[in-house]
Amino acid sequence: MKIFSKEQIYEGDKLTQEKQKISSTDLMERAGMQIFNWIHTRMQGAQVPIHVFCGIGNNGGDGLVVARHLITHGYNVNTYIVNCSDKRSKDFLINYDRVKNVTKDWPTLLSCEEDFSAITINEKDIIVDAVFGIGLNRPVDAWVKGLFNFFRATKAFTLSIDLPSGLATDKSVEDSEAVVNAGYTLSFQTPKLVFFLPETAKYTVQWEVLDIGIDPEYLFTTVTEADLIGKNEVLPIYKPREKYSHKGTFGHSLIIGGSYGKIGAVALASRSVLAVGAGKVTAYMPKCGYIPLQTAFPEAMVITDEDDEKITKITFDIEPTVIGIGVGLGTDTKTVAAMEAFLKSNKKPLVIDADGLNILAKKKALLKLLPELTILTPHPKELERLVGKWDNDFDKLKKTKAFAKKYKVIVVIKGANTITVFDDKLYVNATGNPGLATAGTGDVLTGMLTGLISQGYDPLQATLFGVYLHGKSADILIEQLGYQSIIASNVIEGISLAYLDLFKQPEQPQVEQADTEEQR
């Protein structure tokens, strides 16, 4: 699914009106009707008080459409106009007149000097936030911040239209009191990038996209800076297996890593290589890891360094398809030298994680030795060591894009909604949950990406598919284990379930049949 920018959304609205020969008011009616249908489907006429707060721009116009349909369907509706300017959009004014025609209780005008403490909203009521949407281009004044704090104080369920008011689509939040905290956001046609960034995702607990009929050709042909990667996006990537294939068909992965006390990282990565489908895996590690790995994971072959406790020289006589390096590696001086010598001679595709990244951060000159499309999988602190400190999430993405372009690498920013950065493009993963916040899951991801490249997936395909499967494994497992109890080994066991889920058909609702004499 594409994630459109604010400018692209405006362009899509304009083009849709031209091609479908509809007015902006018609498109607003369509959008408001979709929100009403969403609410009506869930409430079925329940007389819970609904408080619709409308700004005086187009988002407020959407809110007035919703309020009008709620009123005509007999809901208990209170409508308010956040009347803080003399500038009103044309479509707002049209819908303001329309809502006045369906009720004897006109919308309550709230001026910026007026105290709103007379409004009574209970915890079990519903607030519909239609104050600003994506069009806000000025700081939120103190009175409106007070209104948003009032929303929070009521503890009522808050539904935002298109975007929580006060939240910008393309910049960070400077004042948290100036943003609505939404329980749910109904976003038109596309999710917003801010739904997936650590600093801004917290302003909506859940979100959903509503189709308002934007021109299909525009949606299909427009190139976006960011895409959301879900099942529909990874299914075309999947490579089915030929009947007469064999283990050589799916490549030979080499995992280089481990040091005294960190052999488990290599075991996890090696297991993940085969669990995701590679044909063979060899682990290169210090001598101290030989017996533990051969015992814990007999499917792996092992090559050892001369040193008992760390890697001091990387030499092997096999021809791997792809190499994953860094898990549990350590940053001993001899290990750093060994990695530098390895990078100077290596021509194989690489996946680099953990201490492999830390070594690159210490010796930035090594970055120029990386093969094109090397995959780097940093967590936030490792990323900071590579690209430098950032001011906010947007600055982080900007710096990471510049880094990825400079060195022609793929950067996987691990975290909730892991974001893959390649060239000028962002790929936001739709799977995963806090259960992955546990030791070793990064080692599992390294093995999965390595194993997918081994099978013939190109590095970008492998990254998007591997990150998706990794998160989906955890999503399936939480139903059995809960967030707190998932460990990295469980994620490996869930890879097979994630594969099977790719082809699982949605459950169809069962229609109960009456037990009649005719049917018997």
Side-chain angles (χ1 to χ4, degrees):
M1 181 185 291
K2 295 177 180 180
I3 300 175
F4 287 82
S5 67
K6 179 171 71 173
E7 293 74 20
Q8 289 174 324
I9 292 168
Y10 285 143
E11 180 63 27
D13 287 352
K14 180 182 177 183
L15 185 66
T16 299
Q17 293 163 40
E18 292 172 356
K19 293 184 72 171
Q20 297 180 10
K21 294 180 171 55
I22 61 174
S23 68
S24 57
T25 310
D26 295 331
L27 187 60
M28 182 175 287
E29 182 71 20
R30 189 187 291 177
M33 193 66 189
Q34 285 288 71
I35 296 166
F36 164 75
N37 288 336
W38 189 93
I39 296 171
H40 186 49
T41 299
R42 287 153 181 79
M43 293 190 65
Q44 294 292 305
Q47 290 300 296
V48 177
I50 303 174
H51 306 268
V52 184
F53 287 84
C54 304
I56 52 179
N58 286 347
N59 195 243
D62 295 331
L64 288 170
V65 175
V66 175
R68 172 163 47 88
H69 286 291
L70 289 169
I71 291 166
T72 56
H73 282 75
Y75 282 93
N76 182 2
V77 183
N78 299 289
T79 309
Y80 309 90
I81 306 299
V82 182
N83 191 38
C84 288
S85 171
D86 294 330
K87 297 179 180 179
R88 291 162 174 74
S89 75
K90 173 180 67 74
D91 292 326
F92 167 86
L93 291 171
I94 291 171
N95 282 293
Y96 184 62
D97 287 337
R98 287 178 178 178
V99 80
K100 289 195 298 185
N101 292 331
V102 299
T103 178
K104 65 180 186 299
D105 299 319
W106 286 10
T108 302
L109 295 177
L110 302 174
S111 70
C112 287
E113 290 77 30
E114 184 180 347
D115 188 0
F116 46 79
S117 61
I119 300 173
T120 300
I121 299 179
N122 296 314
E123 186 175 348
K124 293 184 179 179
D125 293 358
I126 294 171
I127 294 171
V128 176
D129 158 38
V131 180
F132 293 134
I134 66 171
L136 183 67
N137 55 13
R138 58 180 172 80
V140 174
D141 65 38
W143 185 88
V144 178
K145 285 200 294 184
L147 180 64
F148 294 169
N149 282 327
F150 171 66
F151 290 174
R152 282 184 276 271
T154 67
K155 298 183 180 178
F157 176 79
T158 301
L159 175 70
S160 286
I161 293 179
D162 203 28
L163 192 69
S165 288
L167 187 62
T169 60
D170 54 1
K171 58 184 178 182
S172 62
V173 173
E174 295 180 0
D175 183 354
S176 61
E177 291 188 355
V179 182
V180 167
N181 289 84
Y184 217 105
T185 298
L186 297 178
S187 184
F188 296 138
Q189 209 65 59
T190 174
K192 310 298 187 284
L193 181 59
V194 287
F195 295 166
F196 309 105
L197 303 180
E199 294 171 351
T200 51
K202 61 187 176 183
Y203 293 103
T204 184
V205 177
Q206 291 180 280
W207 59 270
E208 188 172 329
V209 169
L210 297 182
D211 184 356
I212 61 170
I214 298 300
D215 180 64
E217 183 181 4
Y218 177 79
L219 295 176
F220 181 75
T221 58
T222 301
V223 177
T224 56
E225 177 194 17
D227 287 352
L228 182 64
I229 305 300
K231 182 186 286 191
N232 291 337
E233 287 70 33
V234 300
L235 266 173
I237 295 175
Y238 173 78
K239 294 179 181 291
R241 297 204 158 188
E242 298 290 340
K243 180 177 181 180
Y244 294 103
S245 55
H246 52 83
K247 66 183 179 183
T249 307
F250 305 114
H252 186 173
S253 295
L254 175 63
I255 296 295
I256 301 174
S259 55
Y260 186 81
K262 297 179 181 177
I263 297 303
V266 181
L268 290 168
S270 299
R271 283 185 62 201
S272 304
V273 166
L274 293 191
V276 85
K280 297 184 288 183
V281 64
T282 294
Y284 189 99
M285 57 170 52
K287 283 184 179 178
C288 66
Y290 180 79
I291 293 175
L293 187 63
Q294 292 275 264
T295 304
F297 187 48
E299 292 89 345
M301 297 175 283
V302 180
I303 302 172
T304 63
D305 192 271
E306 297 173 350
D307 195 279
D308 284 335
E309 298 187 353
K310 58 186 173 292
I311 288 178
T312 60
K313 189 177 181 181
I314 301 173
T315 56
F316 47 85
D317 58 2
I318 62 172
E319 278 292 327
T321 312
V322 55
I323 299 171
I325 185 169
V327 294
L329 188 64
T331 55
D332 184 90
T333 304
K334 291 183 178 180
T335 304
V336 173
M339 183 167 174
E340 181 172 0
F342 163 74
L343 290 176
K344 286 178 178 178
S345 61
N346 174 66
K347 303 299 180 186
K348 298 293 183 180
L350 289 180
V351 180
I352 305 179
D353 185 32
D355 283 326
L357 299 173
N358 292 329
I359 291 171
L360 292 177
K362 283 184 175 182
K363 302 191 72 171
K364 293 259 182 23
L366 299 181
L367 290 164
K368 296 179 180 178
L369 302 176
L370 301 180
E372 195 167 317
L373 301 182
T374 291
I375 302 171
L376 310 181
T377 60
H379 59 56
K381 201 63 186 176
E382 291 165 345
L383 180 65
E384 184 184 291
R385 295 181 190 123
L386 288 169
V387 305
K389 292 183 181 294
W390 50 80
D391 297 328
N392 53 59
D393 285 337
F394 287 96
D395 189 39
K396 173 177 68 178
L397 294 176
K398 179 181 177 182
K399 282 180 163 62
T400 305
K401 283 201 291 185
F403 176 90
K405 286 184 73 172
K406 180 178 180 179
Y407 296 106
K408 298 181 181 178
V409 296
I410 298 168
V411 182
V412 180
I413 307 175
K414 293 187 292 192
N417 293 116
T418 290
I419 298 178
T420 297
V421 181
F422 175 61
D423 205 6
D424 280 322
K425 190 84 174 181
L426 306 174
Y427 301 90
V428 182
N429 185 50
T431 61
N433 60 71
L436 289 169
T438 187
T441 55
D443 304 322
V444 172
L445 179 62
T446 297
M448 292 176 70
L449 303 185
T450 304
L452 287 167
I453 293 174
S454 183
Q455 295 170 70
Y457 292 89
D458 71 47
L460 184 59
Q461 288 178 332
T463 304
L464 302 183
F465 194 22
V467 169
Y468 173 86
L469 291 172
H470 185 256
K472 190 63 182 180
S473 169
D475 289 344
I476 294 169
L477 291 169
I478 60 166
E479 297 178 12
Q480 307 164 22
L481 303 175
Y483 294 120
Q484 291 83 359
S485 299
I486 291 177
I487 61 174
S489 296
N490 298 141
V491 179
I492 299 172
E493 293 158 6
I495 293 172
S496 60
L497 302 177
Y499 267 125
L500 293 172
D501 182 79
L502 286 173
F503 306 99
K504 185 178 180 181
Q505 296 299 314
E507 292 185 8
Q508 299 299 318
Q510 294 185 353
V511 179
E512 294 185 7
Q513 294 184 350
D515 187 15
T516 63
E517 191 68 34
E518 290 82 0
Q519 288 172 326
R520 288 197 294 271

